[in-house]
Amino acid sequence: MLKMWWLLPNLSLFINLVIIRFMPKYLTKKEIYISWFVVALFNLSSDIVLSLYFRLYELNGDGVQA
């Protein structure tokens, strides 16, 4: 029963990887890396703001996850 829970995530991951592999790509390598860097920087800054200033999640400490 527990292994059936992993069927849907693995199947959806496989389907998404196939779609990503065969879809047409119009960006150059430089544009792909720049957009990845911008998204990663935005993710890092939002994590820092949510963790340090609003204390929404902390590892091994007080907060929402405790």
Side-chain angles (χ1 to χ4, degrees):
M1 179 73 179
L2 183 63
K3 292 187 181 201
M4 184 167 254
W5 287 102
W6 289 102
L7 177 66
L8 184 62
N10 286 335
L11 184 64
S12 64
L13 175 67
F14 177 74
I15 291 172
N16 283 325
L17 288 176
V18 168
I19 290 172
I20 289 171
R21 171 66 179 101
F22 291 110
M23 70 185 212
K25 297 169 184 70
Y26 299 110
L27 296 176
T28 64
K29 295 281 187 187
K30 182 178 179 182
E31 291 170 335
I32 291 172
Y33 288 125
I34 289 173
S35 61
W36 180 89
F37 179 74
V38 168
V39 169
L41 188 63
F42 180 75
N43 187 18
L44 179 65
S45 63
S46 65
D47 280 344
I48 289 172
V49 167
L50 292 176
S51 176
L52 295 178
Y53 296 116
F54 295 121
R55 302 216 184 270
L56 289 181
Y57 53 89
E58 294 182 16
L59 299 176
N60 300 328
D62 295 335
V64 177
Q65 292 182 357

